[in-house]
Amino acid sequence: MSTTELLEAARALGQSLAPEAGRVEREGVERATLDRLAAAGLYGLTGPAWAGGGDVPASVYRKVAEWLSGADGNTWLVWFQHHPVVKMLAASPNTDLAGRYLPGLCAGTLQAGVAFSHLRNPSPSVTATAEGDRWRFSGTQPWCTGWGLIDLVLVGAATDEEVLFALVPAEDGPAVRCAGELSLAAMAGTRTVALALDGLVVEPADLVLRAPRRDWAVADHARSANVQPSVFGIALAALSSLRQTGAVVAEPLGEALHDVRARAYRLADEEPTGPGAGVDERLETAAEAILLGVEVTSALVTSLGGKAMVLSHPAQRWAREAMFHLVFAQTGALRSATLAAVAGARG
Ligand SMILES: Cc1cc2nc3c(=O)[nH]c(=O)nc-3n(C[C@H](O)[C@H](O)[C@H](O)COP(=O)(O)OP(=O)(O)OC[C@H]3O[C@@H](n4cnc5c(N)ncnc54)[C@H](O)[C@@H]3O)c2cc1C
């Protein structure tokens, strides 16, 4: 499929998802919808060509992510969590594992999610213990999106010195189980759960990555400082509505949004010149973009008056989804940068 065809399919899917997004949040994302995204080639977008992936430029991935997140945030989030797995597996030294799973992951016949955000905390909540050449993972990962919808989950665990990532079946069993579906203020239809691991046996064949904790943290810190396209997808969807109901405020907000979006994507495309290079500028830009998303969606709610509060109106959902981005993929540094930007606006 050509890039033009991919983009056309993604845009058409976005248009068909948008009217159902409120219902999807209340009733839950369905696998059949995710399978439609897969059939349109959207699960393998970033995957390598040898595995049937599209290997598309970042700009194409961003367009698709913006359209999907603006159309239906819940479906977008479940779809989004698949891509780090494809990316990490494609770069894995475990080529047998990549050969086994990447073709299915790129086709979307296998769908995956992640469970490793706890590794960003100074005290990771899932630990790995060596047992011969195998490992046992134990603890609770507080967030895992898509449970019950996905086939595989990339689980992260830490030792004192290292981080380990394993790709395992996403099924309830004695060693991996849902420790409770979370009742959420936004993205409530994404089947996001806490995941309890109780001595999960990880064979070397299941390991995607094993890396020194410090090296991974530095790379993750730099990656997480980039703005997620979904921040813009939601804000652009709200802005387009705001043009009808609050044209005067839509104009300056639109200019600010396009300006920060251009800067954010330019920074994301720049090769870092060394570990940590440019991270402060990325963090400031991310904070600016996230807070602008809150501002745009708030302006839309205000411009609409009381009808914005009706659950069937997208305005309140976009406002809650913009709020979700205040914490999603948050590192300690991004939390500080966002709070500093709020304080700066008051000073
Ligand atoms: C709806 C939803 C779905 C999600 N789905 C997934 C998913 O599928 N998979 C997944 O892995 N994650 C998922 N997340 C987690 C998400 O990416 C973020 O990691 C999470 O929201 C950060 O908030 P926290 O309070 O849980 O993390 P915390 O770890 O408590 O805090 C966030 C950051 O603050 C810093 N910090 C916290 N405590 C300290 C301290 N004592 N000292 C210094 N720094 C500190 C850490 O660097 C940390 O990264 C999801 C989150 C939401 C809201």
Side-chain angles (χ1 to χ4, degrees):
M1 201 184 292
S2 72
T3 303
T4 314
E5 286 167 334
L6 259 178
L7 286 173
E8 272 169 16
R11 193 194 280 274
L13 269 167
Q15 283 166 350
S16 73
L17 292 176
E20 294 297 311
R23 183 190 60 76
V24 169
E25 183 184 41
R26 288 189 298 280
E27 296 177 10
V29 174
E30 286 167 13
R31 175 69 183 233
T33 308
L34 302 172
D35 289 341
R36 279 170 62 207
L37 303 192
L42 304 188
Y43 268 78
L45 271 187
T46 57
W50 68 259
D55 200 14
V56 300
S59 57
V60 172
Y61 169 79
R62 286 176 195 141
K63 259 188 197 151
V64 175
E66 284 185 357
W67 288 338
L68 292 182
S69 56
D72 175 353
N74 284 261
T75 299
W76 159 78
L77 180 57
V78 182
W79 169 84
F80 167 85
Q81 300 291 19
H82 176 87
H83 298 282
V85 184
V86 171
K87 212 167 182 176
M88 214 186 268
L89 198 53
S92 173
N94 189 346
T95 49
D96 286 348
L97 191 68
R100 188 161 131 219
Y101 285 131
L102 262 183
L105 289 168
C106 287
T109 47
L110 286 176
Q111 297 178 13
V114 299
F116 61 73
S117 62
H118 72 98
L119 292 174
R120 299 192 179 114
N121 193 287
S123 309
S125 55
V126 180
T127 52
T129 315
E131 211 180 69
D133 67 345
R134 308 189 307 181
W135 296 85
R136 276 190 189 270
F137 287 10
S138 292
T140 299
Q141 152 67 13
W143 308 95
C144 179
T145 292
W147 198 252
L149 293 167
I150 53 175
D151 306 296
L152 297 167
V153 59
L154 183 74
V155 184
T159 67
D160 286 346
E161 302 294 329
E162 291 182 303
V163 287
L164 294 97
F165 293 84
L167 192 58
V168 299
E171 288 163 6
D172 277 300
V176 182
R177 70 188 160 75
C178 161
E181 183 157 350
L182 302 170
S183 191
L184 294 166
M187 307 299 182
T190 57
R191 306 236 204 137
T192 297
V193 304
L195 205 59
L197 305 176
D198 188 8
L200 171 72
V201 174
V202 172
E203 302 287 346
D206 302 325
L207 276 185
V208 177
L209 177 71
R210 189 176 163 188
R213 218 163 128 174
R214 204 184 136 57
D215 293 358
W216 181 80
V218 169
D220 179 68
H221 178 60
R223 256 193 316 269
S224 310
N226 287 322
V227 190
Q228 289 301 338
S230 47
V231 170
F232 299 119
I234 291 158
L236 287 168
L239 184 71
S240 146
S241 275
L242 185 61
R243 290 211 168 93
Q244 325 295 316
T245 54
V248 174
V249 70
E251 198 179 317
L253 284 176
E255 272 173 31
L257 191 61
H258 287 293
D259 170 60
V260 69
R261 179 170 171 257
R263 274 183 287 127
Y265 288 166
R266 177 181 52 74
L267 285 168
D269 285 337
E270 271 173 14
E271 282 294 320
T273 47
V279 170
D280 286 348
E281 191 183 356
R282 282 161 210 257
L283 287 168
E284 278 168 26
T285 309
E288 186 184 336
I290 291 167
L291 291 170
L292 190 56
V294 173
E295 221 177 315
V296 172
T297 54
S298 300
L300 177 63
V301 168
T302 310
S303 72
L304 280 159
K307 64 174 170 285
M309 288 297 127
V310 178
L311 280 181
S312 57
H313 201 290
Q316 48 77 33
R317 184 168 41 77
W318 286 327
R320 290 183 287 106
E321 290 170 357
M323 174 181 73
F324 151 85
H325 277 98
L326 290 169
V327 300
F328 188 59
Q330 187 187 63
T331 59
L334 183 54
R335 184 187 291 190
S336 302
T338 309
L339 291 174
V342 173
R346 298 242 140 245

